[in-house]
């Protein structure tokens, strides 16, 4: 049987000079992807060979491989967030794309697991919650010098660049919470539901958090004639890794407890970070409308952070003590990728 195929995919797949993420990009939009690889097993082997090579190059800390791996995973994960008409989603569960995803994830997970320190944590649930909170707020990234720089020194252009990188988390947090609550017990769902409803402006469209975030991007001239999709395409690997950690946590059901740790870390660290940002906005003269997103989150996330610990994580670990390990892992995945991200931006701005 002859299968019509996007010629760009074939060309990029067989070209040794084409970055691997460009191959993945073409795979995502190829309508006959499944049939093509079934009928061209030699090309399937070429694809998997290139995937394994990228994974090996990632392990060797090759900068191009690090970017290509996170860019590839980012595009694959986005298939779980879009609707038909806005983005091609027909390959969401394509088996060959899933195989590529898993090979890349295995290399990345191995790297992230090696960065998690050995910690002694309390077994008692109440003591664990106190320990976990202190672990988050005392981590180096919680008071990263990047946010002091944004508060006191960043120019308008630097603030704009910062938010061109922030989009991998802030612009989709509502969807992350929605995916995280699937399958959880009702009492835990209630906490995430309250969080989600706040993200949706408690029913007021003008207060929907992603809409308020868009106002900030517009005033900073981050979007202008660019779409969010094009901004995602221009994101650094450090920014992509931050987004990928959260998507990796909420998409895979095996990572459901890891998601509680990763998203909980986001909630716990946000208020202090955002207070520095708001001072920076005032310094460079942003309007109250542009500031609204972060002003609101300073108080909301302080409430959500404690609520997430008390009403989401605590019930889970009381019923399933083994969940602590995954919750800690999720938190460190977030903390460590956030550290990479903050270090990169601080070095970019200060050349240090």
């Amino acid at each position: 049987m002859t299968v019509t195929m996007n010629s760009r995919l074939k060309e990029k797949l067989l070209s040794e000079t084409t970055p691997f993420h460009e191959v993945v990009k073409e795979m995502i939009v190829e309508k006959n992807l499944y049939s093509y690889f079934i009928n061209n097993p030699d090309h399937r082997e070429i694809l998997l060979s290139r995937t394994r090579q990228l994974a090996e190059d990632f392990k060797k800390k090759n900068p191009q491989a690090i970017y290509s791996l996170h860019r590839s995973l980012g595009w694959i994960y986005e298939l779980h967030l879009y609707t038909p008409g806005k983005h091609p989603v027909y390959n969401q569960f394509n088996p060959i794309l899933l195989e590529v995803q898993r090979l890349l994830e295995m290399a990345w997970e191995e790297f992230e697991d090696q960065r998690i320190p050995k910690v002694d944590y309390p077994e008692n649930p109440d003591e664990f919650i106190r320990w976990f909170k202190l672990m988050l707020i005392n981590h180096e990234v919680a008071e990263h010098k990047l946010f002091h720089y944004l508060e006191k020194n960043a120019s308008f252009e630097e603030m704009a660049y910062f938010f061109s990188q922030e989009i991998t988390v802030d612009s989709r947090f509502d969807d992350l919470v929605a995916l995280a609550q699937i399958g959880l017990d009702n009492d835990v769902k209630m906490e995430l539901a309250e969080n989600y409803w706040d993200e949706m402006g408690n029913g007021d469209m003008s207060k929907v958090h992603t809409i308020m975030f868009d106002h900030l991007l517009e005033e900073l001239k981050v979007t202008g004639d660019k779409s969010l999709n094009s901004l995602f395409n221009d994101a650094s690997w450090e920014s992509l890794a931050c987004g990928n950690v959260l998507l990796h946590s909420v998409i895979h059901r095996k990572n459901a407890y890891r998601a509680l740790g990763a998203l909980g870390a986001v909630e716990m660290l946000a208020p202090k970070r955002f207070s520095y940002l708001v001072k920076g906005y005032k310094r460079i003269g942003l309007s109250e409308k542009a500031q609204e997103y972060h002003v609101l989150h300073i108080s909301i996330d302080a409430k959500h952070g404690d609520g997430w610990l008390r009403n989401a994580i605590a019930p889970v670990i009381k019923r399933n003590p083994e969940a602590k390990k995954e919750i800690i892992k999720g938190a460190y995945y977030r903390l460590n990728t956030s550290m990479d991200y903050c270090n990169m931006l601080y070095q970019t701005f200060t050349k240090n």
Side-chain angles (χ1 to χ4, degrees):
M1 181 178 68
T2 301
V3 177
T4 303
M5 183 185 177
N6 178 348
S7 61
R8 292 194 304 274
L9 172 54
K10 182 177 180 180
E11 177 184 340
K12 291 182 178 182
L13 174 62
L14 301 181
S15 169
E16 294 182 0
T17 60
T18 300
F20 185 79
H21 58 274
E22 293 295 334
V23 177
V24 170
K25 186 177 183 180
E26 294 299 335
M27 289 177 67
I28 286 170
V29 300
E30 174 54 54
K31 289 187 176 180
N32 294 313
L33 190 64
Y34 180 77
S35 298
Y36 180 81
F37 282 112
I38 287 292
N39 290 282
N40 294 274
D42 54 331
H43 286 189
R44 181 180 182 278
E45 288 308 310
I46 291 171
L47 173 68
L48 295 179
S49 176
R50 291 196 62 181
T51 307
R52 295 187 188 99
Q53 185 60 56
L54 176 60
E56 287 303 311
D57 291 343
F58 173 86
K59 292 178 182 179
K60 295 173 183 176
K61 301 184 180 180
N62 177 292
Q64 289 77 29
I66 294 171
Y67 175 80
S68 197
L69 180 142
H70 280 295
R71 180 64 283 175
S72 297
L73 287 176
W75 276 330
I76 293 170
Y77 291 156
E78 285 172 5
L79 289 171
H80 298 274
L81 300 179
Y82 290 110
T83 54
K86 291 185 178 180
H87 195 80
V89 293
Y90 29 78
N91 286 318
Q92 180 183 7
F93 294 110
N94 179 277
I96 187 66
L97 200 56
L98 289 174
E99 191 167 0
V100 168
Q101 173 185 330
R102 192 67 200 118
L103 287 169
L104 298 182
E105 285 177 336
M106 287 168 64
W108 176 37
E109 288 170 351
E110 180 181 329
F111 168 73
E112 292 297 344
D113 287 348
Q114 290 171 351
R115 296 206 288 176
I116 299 175
K118 292 182 179 179
V119 293
D120 294 321
Y121 55 86
E123 290 297 336
N124 178 275
D126 294 332
E127 292 177 6
F128 176 84
I129 292 300
R130 287 191 290 271
W131 173 88
F132 186 72
K133 181 177 181 177
L134 289 173
M135 183 267 286
L136 294 176
I137 63 177
N138 289 331
H139 191 277
E140 183 181 357
V141 80
E143 277 279 358
H144 197 282
K145 52 193 173 183
L146 168 67
F147 294 95
H148 296 284
Y149 181 86
L150 292 168
E151 174 195 3
K152 297 177 180 178
N153 304 105
S155 65
F156 183 95
E157 291 74 20
E158 287 173 330
M159 193 72 79
Y161 181 73
F162 171 73
F163 278 104
S164 75
Q165 302 299 300
E166 282 285 282
I167 60 168
T168 59
V169 174
D170 286 283
S171 67
R172 52 171 58 140
F173 198 75
D174 51 356
D175 288 336
L176 295 171
V177 175
L179 287 167
Q181 61 82 36
I182 295 172
L184 297 176
D185 290 335
N186 286 336
D187 55 346
V188 181
K189 277 191 175 186
M190 288 297 289
E191 178 61 33
L192 273 66
E194 181 180 346
N195 189 306
Y196 180 78
W197 193 231
D198 276 339
E199 289 291 325
M200 298 307 296
N202 294 290
D204 182 346
M205 185 66 77
S206 68
K207 300 297 183 183
V208 171
H209 292 189
T210 52
I211 292 176
M212 290 194 291
F213 186 67
D214 287 344
H215 294 324
L216 173 63
L217 297 183
E218 289 167 8
E219 189 159 323
L220 285 169
K221 299 180 172 56
V222 173
T223 44
D225 58 354
K226 288 187 174 183
S227 66
L228 276 180
N229 278 344
S230 66
L231 289 174
F232 277 114
N233 291 343
D234 294 337
S236 64
W237 74 258
E238 293 90 346
S239 172
L240 292 169
C242 286
N244 285 347
V245 158
L246 301 180
L247 287 167
H248 173 260
S249 298
V250 301
I251 289 169
H252 293 292
R253 301 319 305 147
K254 69 185 180 68
N255 293 340
Y257 299 144
R258 196 177 301 182
L260 292 179
L263 293 174
V266 173
E267 296 282 20
M268 286 301 303
L269 300 187
K272 185 175 289 186
R273 287 181 169 189
F274 290 176
S275 67
Y276 295 135
L277 289 175
V278 169
K279 292 174 184 175
Y281 299 158
K282 295 181 188 299
R283 179 179 52 78
I284 64 174
L286 294 188
S287 69
E288 289 186 2
K289 184 177 182 180
Q291 296 179 39
E292 188 177 18
Y293 173 83
H294 287 99
V295 169
L296 187 63
H297 273 77
I298 291 171
S299 58
I300 285 181
D301 285 349
K303 179 183 73 172
H304 282 318
D306 286 334
W308 197 280
L309 295 175
R310 185 175 59 254
N311 302 322
I313 291 179
V316 165
I317 62 175
K318 286 176 181 177
R319 294 174 190 136
N320 182 3
E322 286 298 307
K324 296 187 191 78
K325 296 176 183 177
E326 282 294 294
I327 289 166
I328 292 169
K329 179 177 284 193
Y332 271 109
Y333 270 36
R334 168 59 185 172
L335 294 171
N336 289 334
T337 52
S338 182
M339 193 70 185
D340 293 337
Y341 171 74
C342 291
N343 285 342
M344 178 275 293
L345 285 171
Y346 184 76
Q347 290 163 8
T348 298
F349 295 150
T350 65
K351 305 299 186 290
N352 291 333

